[in-house]
Amino acid sequence: SQQGEEDPQALSIQEGENATMNCSYKTSINNLQWYRQNSGRGLVHLILIRSNEREKHSGRLRVTLDTSKKSSSLLITASRAADTASYFCATETSGSRLTFGEGTQLTVNP
Amino acid sequence: ETGVTQTPRHLVMGMTNKKSLKCEQHLGHNAMYWYKQSAKKPLELMFVYNFKEQTENNSVPSRFSPECPNSSHLFLHLHTLQPEDSALYLCASSPRTRFTDTQYFGPGTRLTVL
């Protein structure tokens, strides 16, 4: 099975609500990154959190990392219809590649 | 726009055709990547180039042949593909091949093999 696995696979919320997506991984990491992908487009980097960090903020995004549980969460506050996209976590392990999960499809309804 | 362009955006080809995908980055990066994105599967790294040299081939079948003439351009030559090769092919670049660097992705080429 892959290194990063997102949960849930799909999430549908109303505009203004918060959206939380989770990522679990199996091996020790140097850092974890979150990317966003609009339908049929390339991935856009959102935020990177290093293994010695526990929480990071960027605008309406909040990422947490729990290395003891090998998990991370991405919180989008006050969601907008434009936030509709797939969200991927990617893990970097020592001397290795970025490994992506299957993604969470987020739909924000107006 | 991320500064990484890919052409064509869509490609339909038969199994006996030969075609090429092109990627160009205008960011001054030294590392470039090819990824394959299939439905319901995680993004798969195919090739990594650093300063025009291939540094990683993730056990990709020989019907996919990459070429990197300089740090700004990356090609993926395709020949005798199979229907299961239909996917979105994404190019990315980063300042270096240290993956701590953020990767910048192009919009992708949607490939359909008939």
Side-chain angles (χ1 to χ4, degrees), chain B residues 59-74:
Chain B
S59 302
V60 180
S62 59
R63 57 185 183 270
F64 295 91
S65 175
E67 179 190 0
C68 189
N70 54 62
S71 292
S72 299
H73 294 85
L74 186 64

Side-chain angles (χ1 to χ4, degrees), chain B residues 49-63:
Chain B
Y49 277 82
N50 189 35
F51 290 96
K52 304 187 299 177
E53 299 298 320
Q54 187 180 126
T55 58
E56 186 155 353
N57 176 339
N58 190 23
S59 302
V60 180
S62 59
R63 57 185 183 270

Side-chain angles (χ1 to χ4, degrees), chain B:
Chain B
E1 297 300 321
T2 61
V4 180
T5 58
Q6 289 186 244
T7 54
R9 294 293 310 276
H10 300 271
L11 178 62
V12 179
M13 59 187 289
M15 289 190 285
T16 58
N17 292 156
K18 290 184 179 181
K19 297 287 184 184
S20 295
L21 310 184
K22 179 182 176 182
C23 175
E24 183 174 359
Q25 57 96 359
H26 311 274
L27 302 168
H29 290 167
N30 295 310
M32 297 188 77
Y33 314 82
W34 279 117
Y35 286 90
K36 175 183 178 182
Q37 187 177 31
S38 305
K40 308 296 184 185
K41 292 178 69 175
L43 209 61
E44 300 172 58
L45 178 65
M46 299 175 71
F47 302 103
V48 180
Y49 277 82
N50 189 35
F51 290 96
K52 304 187 299 177
E53 299 298 320
Q54 187 180 126
T55 58
E56 186 155 353
N57 176 339
N58 190 23
S59 302
V60 180
S62 59
R63 57 185 183 270
F64 295 91
S65 175
E67 179 190 0
C68 189
N70 54 62
S71 292
S72 299
H73 294 85
L74 186 64
F75 295 88
L76 188 62
H77 304 299
L78 316 171
H79 64 98
T80 59
L81 294 191
Q82 305 298 312
E84 59 265 29
D85 297 323
S86 298
L88 182 67
Y89 288 85
L90 293 164
C91 172
S93 71
S94 66
R96 302 155 297 186
T97 51
R98 282 181 55 198
F99 286 91
T100 319
D101 288 337
T102 297
Q103 293 188 23
Y104 295 77
F105 284 79
T109 294
R110 173 67 63 185
L111 174 67
T112 302
V113 181
L114 301 176

